[in-house]
Amino acid sequence: MTDEKLPETYRPAPESMLCFDLYATHHAVGQVYQPLLAELGLTYPQYLVLVTLWTGDGLTVGELGQRLGLESSTLTPLIKRLENNGVLLRARDKSDERKVRIHLTEAGKQMEGRARHIPGCIAEAFGLPLADLHRLHETLTRMRASLKASMEQS
Amino acid sequence: MTDEKLPETYRPAPESMLCFDLYATHHAVGQVYQPLLAELGLTYPQYLVLVTLWTGDGLTVGELGQRLGLESSTLTPLIKRLENNGVLLRARDKSDERKVRIHLTEAGKQMEGRARHIPGCIAEAFGLPLADLHRLHETLTRMRASLKASMEQS
DNA sequence: CCCATATATATCGTGCACGATATAATCGTA
DNA sequence: TACGATTATATCGTGCACGATATATATGGG
């Protein structure tokens, strides 16, 4: 990073800050998801958990947390809410009783079909050509790698 | 959006979803901010409020909410915490007693100097050339506009 | 002037997210 | 085998964020 002095009048406003772009865009995406997910009785984080389970049932809490970047203190109550709503079941792993494996119920599996239209709706709402979306994905992935690296070293 | 059928085996994983990119990148940025803001005794949303006030003192709760995209139900307690920490004061507007205007204290004004190094640290952690950051800002801004438009019409 | 309506903020209940800590199972090694 | 260290989840307290609702002030039409 350059160390050059910025003029005294340089005062970043939230609207010009990249971190705010991420914050606000993520928020706006959540607003678009909200009515789509409400039909299924899901919140956005709950939907992410189900998407992950649809790619592979029987994951442990830890594996889910690794995929989604969430702690057990977040996942445990979230998963219990999903269990209360009947979309999954929690079961201790027989060969290692420390682990809790999450299994979809029939209702949870069938929900995949009912959610199939959602990615298309979201992609449409983005309103950008596919090439831009690809570039965005790549930029954000590289950025995330860099952010993680800068955290490790400190 | 095209309506063409996707193969039955198409199953988006969170890691390939753009919304997850935004979610995870925003989260990673928060992790980088956290130690920098902890020195000032601030959370990230509190920092955003102060950044906004540094660009113009005496904003109302509603104006802050508009700039940051937050509701009074979020801002009111957040601002009260900042008031308890002595960085700002809340005062009813004399000419319209419905409005609450937020004014920085001396401590709140001085905090701007103590926070001046933060944007540079963050930009460095992004680890991308400035051109990419500009492009990202523009892409996200356009995307946000499109997302908002798609919400209005529905 | 009075009241219906609109506006600005605050309150309440739910859920997400964290760090710190607790608990319980497993593993390594003496 | 016994015990310290590690691992996996759960619990607790704090703060953010929302939608629904309440309260208080302001405004406009009759």
Side-chain angles (χ1 to χ4, degrees), chain B residues 18-64:
Chain B
L18 201 44
C19 65
F20 182 75
D21 281 323
L22 293 164
Y23 176 83
T25 310
H26 168 247
H27 184 261
V29 174
Q31 299 284 97
V32 175
Y33 265 109
Q34 204 268 327
L36 298 168
L37 293 176
E39 295 174 25
L40 306 178
L42 294 174
T43 66
Y44 178 66
Q46 290 170 2
Y47 171 69
L48 284 183
V49 166
L50 288 185
V51 166
T52 311
L53 288 172
W54 289 330
T55 70
D57 198 19
L59 296 176
T60 67
V61 173
E63 288 164 345
L64 274 170

Side-chain angles (χ1 to χ4, degrees), chain B residues 4 15 32 35 52 57 59-60 64 67 79 81 95 101 110 131-132 137-138 146 148:
Chain B
E4 62 184 288
E15 296 80 357
V32 175
T52 311
D57 198 19
L59 296 176
T60 67
L64 274 170
R67 292 276 292 274
I79 289 170
R81 279 186 285 271
S95 73
R101 295 204 173 271
Q110 285 174 10
D132 286 18
H137 173 66
E138 273 167 26
S146 170
K148 284 197 174 125

Side-chain angles (χ1 to χ4, degrees), chain A residues 33 44 47-48 51-52 55 67-68 119 122-123 126 130 133-138 140-141 144, chain B residues 6 9-24:
Chain A
Y33 266 109
Y44 178 66
Y47 171 69
L48 285 183
V51 166
T52 311
T55 70
R67 293 277 291 273
L68 300 177
I122 299 297
F126 283 149
L130 267 182
L133 297 181
H134 263 104
R135 216 168 24 138
L136 182 54
H137 172 67
E138 273 168 26
L140 291 176
T141 302
R144 217 153 61 237
Chain B
L6 294 166
T9 54
Y10 176 69
R11 235 183 255 272
E15 296 80 357
S16 73
M17 290 163 61
L18 201 44
C19 65
F20 182 75
D21 281 323
L22 293 164
Y23 176 83

Side-chain angles (χ1 to χ4, degrees), chain A residues 96-152:
Chain A
D96 184 346
E97 297 256 337
R98 292 172 304 178
K99 297 181 182 169
V100 170
R101 294 204 174 271
I102 313 301
H103 295 280
L104 291 163
T105 61
E106 266 316 302
K109 288 174 189 166
Q110 285 174 10
M111 208 173 257
E112 185 180 7
R114 296 208 285 142
R116 221 178 260 288
H117 64 295
I118 293 183
C121 296
I122 299 297
E124 182 173 17
F126 283 149
L128 295 179
L130 267 182
D132 286 18
L133 297 181
H134 263 104
R135 216 168 24 138
L136 182 54
H137 172 67
E138 273 168 26
T139 304
L140 291 176
T141 302
R142 268 189 297 144
M143 177 178 278
R144 217 153 61 237
S146 170
L147 288 167
K148 285 199 173 124
S150 92
M151 277 168 47
E152 313 282 304

